Amino acid sequence: IPCVPWQSQTSGQVADAAIAEELTSEELQAKFEETRIALVAKIGENMNIRRVEYVKGGSLASYRHGERIGVVVAGEADEETLKHVAMHVAASRPEFVNPEDVPAEVVERERKLQIEIAMNEGKPAEIAEKMVAGRMKKFTGEVSLTGQAFIMEPKQTVGQILKAKNASVSSFIRLEVGEGIEEKRKSTDCVAARLRLPRHTGDR
């Protein structure tokens, strides 16, 4: 899925080229640079190919939420089930497929944070450790697709829904237009604020 907020015809050409040749974002940028320049001149708005992701699997289903969010899900299931899972991914933003897929360093960082929070609440270290064990199971479930409550049936997790249908998901991709840009802008604003000269109210 190339993340390209361009006119539909051009974005389709970019997607076709990406799929046919499995090009990187840099290669796509080079291939469509003249097209990009012409579009910028035509509509007066800057644009670029920022990211491209590939997903492969036995079966694929996609979902697009408006013009901003696109999801592709790969797995072993019927098209309708995978489509519903893709809709869930668009809404709930899971970071991993299964709880056990959460990297050890991510789990350890969260564990230390939760222990610190518990001890700041006045809990003894041994009690804090026991409390955090339960919190960590909840954490890995919340950030993983199969551990999240399914948006269409919140009383069951996505994993439970898939198991009942003898289905599985192997991978997914979720891209959102502008994703990551806002954080970069905030960081730049903070740097600019630190560099701003102090105002001397006594100066005339």
Side-chain angles (χ1 to χ4, degrees), residues 1-38:
I1 312 174
C3 189
V4 193
W6 292 5
Q7 294 180 354
S8 58
Q9 181 179 359
T10 304
S11 60
Q13 293 172 352
V14 174
D16 289 345
I19 293 170
E21 304 176 53
E22 293 197 10
L23 302 175
T24 65
S25 57
E26 291 80 9
E27 290 170 334
L28 286 168
Q29 287 168 6
K31 187 179 183 71
F32 288 93
E33 180 61 8
E34 290 185 7
T35 304
R36 185 192 74 84
I37 292 173

Side-chain angles (χ1 to χ4, degrees), residues 185-197:
R185 185 179 296 127
K186 287 180 181 178
S187 177
T188 303
D189 289 345
C190 289
V191 172
R194 288 198 296 269
L195 293 176
R196 193 173 296 126
L197 291 174

Side-chain angles (χ1 to χ4, degrees), residues 116-145:
E116 183 179 346
I117 291 173
M119 293 186 70
N120 286 340
E121 293 172 350
K123 303 292 191 300
E126 61 274 14
I127 300 297
E129 287 279 0
K130 291 179 180 178
M131 290 175 58
V132 167
R135 291 181 183 179
M136 293 312 301
K137 183 176 181 180
K138 181 181 179 182
F139 167 73
T140 55
E142 288 175 343
V143 298
S144 62
L145 172 63

Side-chain angles (χ1 to χ4, degrees), residues 12-119:
Q13 293 172 352
V14 174
D16 289 345
I19 293 170
E21 304 176 53
E22 293 197 10
L23 302 175
T24 65
S25 57
E26 291 80 9
E27 290 170 334
L28 286 168
Q29 287 168 6
K31 187 179 183 71
F32 288 93
E33 180 61 8
E34 290 185 7
T35 304
R36 185 192 74 84
I37 292 173
L39 271 176
V40 170
K42 180 180 179 181
I43 67 176
E45 188 173 320
N46 193 26
M47 58 191 68
N48 206 342
I49 303 170
R50 292 182 53 236
R51 295 167 293 164
V52 59
E53 300 280 352
Y54 298 96
V55 59
K56 298 179 180 180
S59 299
L60 299 175
S62 63
Y63 171 71
R64 191 173 73 180
H65 187 73
E67 299 298 324
R68 298 194 59 82
I69 299 173
V71 176
V72 175
V73 173
E76 298 296 334
D78 60 86
E79 184 178 353
E80 183 182 24
T81 297
L82 289 180
K83 179 70 172 287
H84 288 170
V85 172
M87 293 170 69
H88 174 94
V89 171
S92 300
R93 298 182 170 211
E95 299 176 45
F96 309 95
V97 176
N98 303 300
E100 55 268 27
D101 297 331
V102 183
E105 61 270 20
V106 174
V107 174
E108 181 61 17
R109 184 166 61 245
E110 181 67 19
R111 190 185 73 83
K112 288 180 179 178
L113 175 63
Q114 290 298 331
I115 288 176
E116 183 179 346
I117 291 173
M119 293 186 70

Side-chain angles (χ1 to χ4, degrees), residues 141-152:
E142 288 175 343
V143 298
S144 62
L145 172 63
T146 58
Q148 292 180 338
F150 187 40
I151 57 170
M152 294 183 177

